[in-house]
PDB file of all heavy atoms in Angstrom:
ATOM      1  N   ARG A   1      15.724 -16.988 -54.691  1.00  0.00           N
ATOM      2  CA  ARG A   1      14.650 -17.814 -54.161  1.00  0.00           C
ATOM      3  C   ARG A   1      13.385 -17.736 -55.019  1.00  0.00           C
ATOM      4  O   ARG A   1      12.701 -18.738 -55.233  1.00  0.00           O
ATOM      5  CB  ARG A   1      14.345 -17.387 -52.738  1.00  0.00           C
ATOM      6  CG  ARG A   1      13.321 -18.238 -52.072  1.00  0.00           C
ATOM      7  CD  ARG A   1      13.093 -17.836 -50.648  1.00  0.00           C
ATOM      8  NE  ARG A   1      12.123 -18.730 -50.069  1.00  0.00           N
ATOM      9  CZ  ARG A   1      11.791 -18.732 -48.820  1.00  0.00           C
ATOM     10  NH1 ARG A   1      12.362 -17.900 -48.003  1.00  0.00           N
ATOM     11  NH2 ARG A   1      10.892 -19.568 -48.371  1.00  0.00           N
ATOM     12  N   VAL A   2      13.076 -16.548 -55.525  1.00  0.00           N
ATOM     13  CA  VAL A   2      11.865 -16.368 -56.332  1.00  0.00           C
ATOM     14  C   VAL A   2      11.931 -17.219 -57.602  1.00  0.00           C
ATOM     15  O   VAL A   2      10.914 -17.767 -58.042  1.00  0.00           O
ATOM     16  CB  VAL A   2      11.627 -14.867 -56.643  1.00  0.00           C
ATOM     17  CG1 VAL A   2      12.700 -14.307 -57.558  1.00  0.00           C
ATOM     18  CG2 VAL A   2      10.247 -14.657 -57.231  1.00  0.00           C
ATOM     19  N   ASN A   3      13.102 -17.382 -58.175  1.00  0.00           N
ATOM     20  CA  ASN A   3      13.240 -18.196 -59.387  1.00  0.00           C
ATOM     21  C   ASN A   3      13.111 -19.676 -59.066  1.00  0.00           C
ATOM     22  O   ASN A   3      12.533 -20.432 -59.848  1.00  0.00           O
ATOM     23  CB  ASN A   3      14.571 -17.906 -60.075  1.00  0.00           C
ATOM     24  CG  ASN A   3      14.615 -16.513 -60.664  1.00  0.00           C
ATOM     25  OD1 ASN A   3      13.587 -15.879 -60.862  1.00  0.00           O
ATOM     26  ND2 ASN A   3      15.811 -16.017 -60.928  1.00  0.00           N
ATOM     27  N   ARG A   4      13.661 -20.112 -57.931  1.00  0.00           N
ATOM     28  CA  ARG A   4      13.505 -21.524 -57.532  1.00  0.00           C
ATOM     29  C   ARG A   4      12.036 -21.832 -57.259  1.00  0.00           C
ATOM     30  O   ARG A   4      11.540 -22.900 -57.610  1.00  0.00           O
ATOM     31  CB  ARG A   4      14.364 -21.830 -56.317  1.00  0.00           C
ATOM     32  CG  ARG A   4      15.847 -21.863 -56.603  1.00  0.00           C
ATOM     33  CD  ARG A   4      16.646 -22.450 -55.458  1.00  0.00           C
ATOM     34  NE  ARG A   4      16.358 -21.846 -54.179  1.00  0.00           N
ATOM     35  CZ  ARG A   4      17.039 -20.840 -53.619  1.00  0.00           C
ATOM     36  NH1 ARG A   4      18.049 -20.309 -54.260  1.00  0.00           N
ATOM     37  NH2 ARG A   4      16.707 -20.378 -52.435  1.00  0.00           N
ATOM     38  N   ALA A   5      11.327 -20.894 -56.643  1.00  0.00           N
ATOM     39  CA  ALA A   5       9.895 -21.085 -56.387  1.00  0.00           C
ATOM     40  C   ALA A   5       9.125 -21.152 -57.713  1.00  0.00           C
ATOM     41  O   ALA A   5       8.190 -21.941 -57.851  1.00  0.00           O
ATOM     42  CB  ALA A   5       9.354 -19.962 -55.510  1.00  0.00           C
ATOM     43  N   ALA A   6       9.533 -20.325 -58.659  1.00  0.00           N
ATOM     44  CA  ALA A   6       8.885 -20.348 -59.984  1.00  0.00           C
ATOM     45  C   ALA A   6       9.111 -21.691 -60.664  1.00  0.00           C
ATOM     46  O   ALA A   6       8.197 -22.231 -61.292  1.00  0.00           O
ATOM     47  CB  ALA A   6       9.407 -19.206 -60.850  1.00  0.00           C
ATOM     48  N   VAL A   7      10.320 -22.228 -60.549  1.00  0.00           N
ATOM     49  CA  VAL A   7      10.622 -23.547 -61.127  1.00  0.00           C
ATOM     50  C   VAL A   7       9.695 -24.592 -60.519  1.00  0.00           C
ATOM     51  O   VAL A   7       9.121 -25.426 -61.231  1.00  0.00           O
ATOM     52  CB  VAL A   7      12.102 -23.929 -60.930  1.00  0.00           C
ATOM     53  CG1 VAL A   7      12.334 -25.399 -61.249  1.00  0.00           C
ATOM     54  CG2 VAL A   7      13.005 -23.058 -61.784  1.00  0.00           C
ATOM     55  N   LEU A   8       9.524 -24.547 -59.207  1.00  0.00           N
ATOM     56  CA  LEU A   8       8.659 -25.526 -58.534  1.00  0.00           C
ATOM     57  C   LEU A   8       7.208 -25.385 -59.003  1.00  0.00           C
ATOM     58  O   LEU A   8       6.558 -26.385 -59.335  1.00  0.00           O
ATOM     59  CB  LEU A   8       8.761 -25.363 -57.018  1.00  0.00           C
ATOM     60  CG  LEU A   8       7.965 -26.356 -56.196  1.00  0.00           C
ATOM     61  CD1 LEU A   8       8.462 -27.771 -56.451  1.00  0.00           C
ATOM     62  CD2 LEU A   8       8.057 -26.011 -54.733  1.00  0.00           C
ATOM     63  N   ARG A   9       6.709 -24.157 -59.054  1.00  0.00           N
ATOM     64  CA  ARG A   9       5.315 -23.949 -59.484  1.00  0.00           C
ATOM     65  C   ARG A   9       5.104 -24.370 -60.944  1.00  0.00           C
ATOM     66  O   ARG A   9       4.116 -25.034 -61.271  1.00  0.00           O
ATOM     67  CB  ARG A   9       4.916 -22.491 -59.288  1.00  0.00           C
ATOM     68  CG  ARG A   9       4.688 -22.115 -57.838  1.00  0.00           C
ATOM     69  CD  ARG A   9       4.005 -20.766 -57.698  1.00  0.00           C
ATOM     70  NE  ARG A   9       4.700 -19.682 -58.378  1.00  0.00           N
ATOM     71  CZ  ARG A   9       5.681 -18.944 -57.862  1.00  0.00           C
ATOM     72  NH1 ARG A   9       6.086 -19.186 -56.634  1.00  0.00           N
ATOM     73  NH2 ARG A   9       6.231 -17.966 -58.559  1.00  0.00           N
ATOM     74  N   VAL A  10       6.028 -23.982 -61.803  1.00  0.00           N
ATOM     75  CA  VAL A  10       5.910 -24.357 -63.219  1.00  0.00           C
ATOM     76  C   VAL A  10       6.007 -25.874 -63.373  1.00  0.00           C
ATOM     77  O   VAL A  10       5.264 -26.480 -64.151  1.00  0.00           O
ATOM     78  CB  VAL A  10       6.978 -23.629 -64.060  1.00  0.00           C
ATOM     79  CG1 VAL A  10       7.044 -24.181 -65.476  1.00  0.00           C
ATOM     80  CG2 VAL A  10       6.709 -22.132 -64.088  1.00  0.00           C
ATOM     81  N   SER A  11       6.905 -26.504 -62.619  1.00  0.00           N
ATOM     82  CA  SER A  11       7.056 -27.963 -62.699  1.00  0.00           C
ATOM     83  C   SER A  11       5.778 -28.674 -62.298  1.00  0.00           C
ATOM     84  O   SER A  11       5.347 -29.616 -62.975  1.00  0.00           O
ATOM     85  CB  SER A  11       8.201 -28.433 -61.802  1.00  0.00           C
ATOM     86  OG  SER A  11       9.416 -27.945 -62.263  1.00  0.00           O
ATOM     87  N   ILE A  12       5.183 -28.231 -61.217  1.00  0.00           N
ATOM     88  CA  ILE A  12       3.940 -28.868 -60.755  1.00  0.00           C
ATOM     89  C   ILE A  12       2.831 -28.688 -61.790  1.00  0.00           C
ATOM     90  O   ILE A  12       2.129 -29.645 -62.144  1.00  0.00           O
ATOM     91  CB  ILE A  12       3.523 -28.310 -59.375  1.00  0.00           C
ATOM     92  CG1 ILE A  12       4.510 -28.790 -58.307  1.00  0.00           C
ATOM     93  CG2 ILE A  12       2.103 -28.730 -59.024  1.00  0.00           C
ATOM     94  CD1 ILE A  12       4.355 -28.110 -56.964  1.00  0.00           C
ATOM     95  N   ALA A  13       2.689 -27.465 -62.289  1.00  0.00           N
ATOM     96  CA  ALA A  13       1.630 -27.205 -63.280  1.00  0.00           C
ATOM     97  C   ALA A  13       1.878 -27.989 -64.565  1.00  0.00           C
ATOM     98  O   ALA A  13       0.942 -28.555 -65.139  1.00  0.00           O
ATOM     99  CB  ALA A  13       1.558 -25.709 -63.584  1.00  0.00           C
ATOM    100  N   CYS A  14       3.135 -28.044 -64.997  1.00  0.00           N
ATOM    101  CA  CYS A  14       3.457 -28.720 -66.262  1.00  0.00           C
ATOM    102  C   CYS A  14       3.526 -30.235 -66.107  1.00  0.00           C
ATOM    103  O   CYS A  14       3.708 -30.942 -67.098  1.00  0.00           O
ATOM    104  CB  CYS A  14       4.776 -28.182 -66.826  1.00  0.00           C
ATOM    105  SG  CYS A  14       4.635 -26.494 -67.396  1.00  0.00           S
ATOM    106  N   LEU A  15       3.399 -30.722 -64.918  1.00  0.00           N
ATOM    107  CA  LEU A  15       3.299 -32.154 -64.692  1.00  0.00           C
ATOM    108  C   LEU A  15       1.839 -32.545 -64.492  1.00  0.00           C
ATOM    109  O   LEU A  15       1.367 -33.529 -65.068  1.00  0.00           O
ATOM    110  CB  LEU A  15       4.132 -32.557 -63.474  1.00  0.00           C
ATOM    111  CG  LEU A  15       4.377 -34.018 -63.254  1.00  0.00           C
ATOM    112  CD1 LEU A  15       5.222 -34.588 -64.380  1.00  0.00           C
ATOM    113  CD2 LEU A  15       5.075 -34.246 -61.936  1.00  0.00           C
ATOM    114  N   ALA A  16       1.105 -31.743 -63.704  1.00  0.00           N
ATOM    115  CA  ALA A  16      -0.274 -32.084 -63.358  1.00  0.00           C
ATOM    116  C   ALA A  16      -1.232 -31.941 -64.545  1.00  0.00           C
ATOM    117  O   ALA A  16      -2.061 -32.827 -64.783  1.00  0.00           O
ATOM    118  CB  ALA A  16      -0.748 -31.208 -62.203  1.00  0.00           C
ATOM    119  N   LEU A  17      -1.113 -30.856 -65.297  1.00  0.00           N
ATOM    120  CA  LEU A  17      -2.046 -30.638 -66.403  1.00  0.00           C
ATOM    121  C   LEU A  17      -1.913 -31.695 -67.503  1.00  0.00           C
ATOM    122  O   LEU A  17      -2.917 -32.306 -67.895  1.00  0.00           O
ATOM    123  CB  LEU A  17      -1.874 -29.223 -66.969  1.00  0.00           C
ATOM    124  CG  LEU A  17      -2.865 -28.836 -68.055  1.00  0.00           C
ATOM    125  CD1 LEU A  17      -4.291 -28.846 -67.519  1.00  0.00           C
ATOM    126  CD2 LEU A  17      -2.529 -27.462 -68.615  1.00  0.00           C
ATOM    127  N   PRO A  18      -0.693 -31.980 -68.006  1.00  0.00           N
ATOM    128  CA  PRO A  18      -0.597 -33.049 -69.013  1.00  0.00           C
ATOM    129  C   PRO A  18      -0.983 -34.419 -68.449  1.00  0.00           C
ATOM    130  O   PRO A  18      -1.558 -35.239 -69.176  1.00  0.00           O
ATOM    131  CB  PRO A  18       0.874 -33.038 -69.425  1.00  0.00           C
ATOM    132  CG  PRO A  18       1.381 -31.706 -69.043  1.00  0.00           C
ATOM    133  CD  PRO A  18       0.588 -31.284 -67.855  1.00  0.00           C
ATOM    134  N   PHE A  19      -0.690 -34.662 -67.167  1.00  0.00           N
ATOM    135  CA  PHE A  19      -1.064 -35.945 -66.566  1.00  0.00           C
ATOM    136  C   PHE A  19      -2.583 -36.090 -66.567  1.00  0.00           C
ATOM    137  O   PHE A  19      -3.113 -37.137 -66.946  1.00  0.00           O
ATOM    138  CB  PHE A  19      -0.506 -36.071 -65.145  1.00  0.00           C
ATOM    139  CG  PHE A  19      -0.642 -37.440 -64.572  1.00  0.00           C
ATOM    140  CD1 PHE A  19       0.337 -38.387 -64.784  1.00  0.00           C
ATOM    141  CD2 PHE A  19      -1.760 -37.803 -63.835  1.00  0.00           C
ATOM    142  CE1 PHE A  19       0.216 -39.677 -64.275  1.00  0.00           C
ATOM    143  CE2 PHE A  19      -1.897 -39.078 -63.318  1.00  0.00           C
ATOM    144  CZ  PHE A  19      -0.909 -40.012 -63.536  1.00  0.00           C
ATOM    145  N   ALA A  20      -3.288 -35.034 -66.146  1.00  0.00           N
ATOM    146  CA  ALA A  20      -4.754 -35.092 -66.110  1.00  0.00           C
ATOM    147  C   ALA A  20      -5.330 -35.267 -67.519  1.00  0.00           C
ATOM    148  O   ALA A  20      -6.215 -36.106 -67.732  1.00  0.00           O
ATOM    149  CB  ALA A  20      -5.302 -33.823 -65.459  1.00  0.00           C
ATOM    150  N   CYS A  21      -4.820 -34.505 -68.474  1.00  0.00           N
ATOM    151  CA  CYS A  21      -5.304 -34.632 -69.864  1.00  0.00           C
ATOM    152  C   CYS A  21      -5.006 -36.020 -70.429  1.00  0.00           C
ATOM    153  O   CYS A  21      -5.853 -36.623 -71.092  1.00  0.00           O
ATOM    154  CB  CYS A  21      -4.667 -33.564 -70.739  1.00  0.00           C
ATOM    155  SG  CYS A  21      -5.214 -31.888 -70.348  1.00  0.00           S
ATOM    156  N   GLY A  22      -3.808 -36.524 -70.152  1.00  0.00           N
ATOM    157  CA  GLY A  22      -3.439 -37.855 -70.620  1.00  0.00           C
ATOM    158  C   GLY A  22      -4.276 -38.947 -69.977  1.00  0.00           C
ATOM    159  O   GLY A  22      -4.634 -39.936 -70.622  1.00  0.00           O
ATOM    160  N   PHE A  23      -4.603 -38.775 -68.704  1.00  0.00           N
ATOM    161  CA  PHE A  23      -5.430 -39.756 -68.010  1.00  0.00           C
ATOM    162  C   PHE A  23      -6.828 -39.808 -68.628  1.00  0.00           C
ATOM    163  O   PHE A  23      -7.369 -40.885 -68.890  1.00  0.00           O
ATOM    164  CB  PHE A  23      -5.511 -39.430 -66.514  1.00  0.00           C
ATOM    165  CG  PHE A  23      -6.120 -40.517 -65.697  1.00  0.00           C
ATOM    166  CD1 PHE A  23      -5.377 -41.628 -65.333  1.00  0.00           C
ATOM    167  CD2 PHE A  23      -7.437 -40.445 -65.289  1.00  0.00           C
ATOM    168  CE1 PHE A  23      -5.941 -42.651 -64.582  1.00  0.00           C
ATOM    169  CE2 PHE A  23      -8.006 -41.457 -64.542  1.00  0.00           C
ATOM    170  CZ  PHE A  23      -7.256 -42.561 -64.181  1.00  0.00           C
ATOM    171  N   ILE A  24      -7.385 -38.643 -68.878  1.00  0.00           N
ATOM    172  CA  ILE A  24      -8.720 -38.580 -69.500  1.00  0.00           C
ATOM    173  C   ILE A  24      -8.681 -39.195 -70.901  1.00  0.00           C
ATOM    174  O   ILE A  24      -9.551 -39.989 -71.269  1.00  0.00           O
ATOM    175  CB  ILE A  24      -9.228 -37.130 -69.544  1.00  0.00           C
ATOM    176  CG1 ILE A  24      -9.519 -36.646 -68.116  1.00  0.00           C
ATOM    177  CG2 ILE A  24     -10.464 -36.994 -70.416  1.00  0.00           C
ATOM    178  CD1 ILE A  24      -9.724 -35.154 -67.989  1.00  0.00           C
ATOM    179  N   LEU A  25      -7.657 -38.841 -71.684  1.00  0.00           N
ATOM    180  CA  LEU A  25      -7.527 -39.415 -73.030  1.00  0.00           C
ATOM    181  C   LEU A  25      -7.334 -40.931 -72.963  1.00  0.00           C
ATOM    182  O   LEU A  25      -7.930 -41.674 -73.744  1.00  0.00           O
ATOM    183  CB  LEU A  25      -6.358 -38.773 -73.777  1.00  0.00           C
ATOM    184  CG  LEU A  25      -6.113 -39.305 -75.182  1.00  0.00           C
ATOM    185  CD1 LEU A  25      -7.274 -38.947 -76.104  1.00  0.00           C
ATOM    186  CD2 LEU A  25      -4.809 -38.769 -75.731  1.00  0.00           C
ATOM    187  N   GLY A  26      -6.519 -41.404 -72.008  1.00  0.00           N
ATOM    188  CA  GLY A  26      -6.292 -42.839 -71.855  1.00  0.00           C
ATOM    189  C   GLY A  26      -7.568 -43.586 -71.501  1.00  0.00           C
ATOM    190  O   GLY A  26      -7.811 -44.691 -71.996  1.00  0.00           O
TER     191      GLY A  26
END
């Protein structure tokens, strides 16, 4: 379970941060 939770947290962070940076750059 701890690894599945890590996947979810990493996925959210690795989706939100590039999205925010890309939005600002756009």
Side-chain angles (χ1 to χ4, degrees):
R1 184 177 182 174
V2 67
N3 291 342
R4 289 192 309 266
V7 167
L8 183 62
R9 286 193 305 273
V10 170
S11 295
I12 290 169
C14 291
L15 192 65
L17 185 62
F19 190 88
C21 292
F23 191 79
I24 292 167
L25 179 66

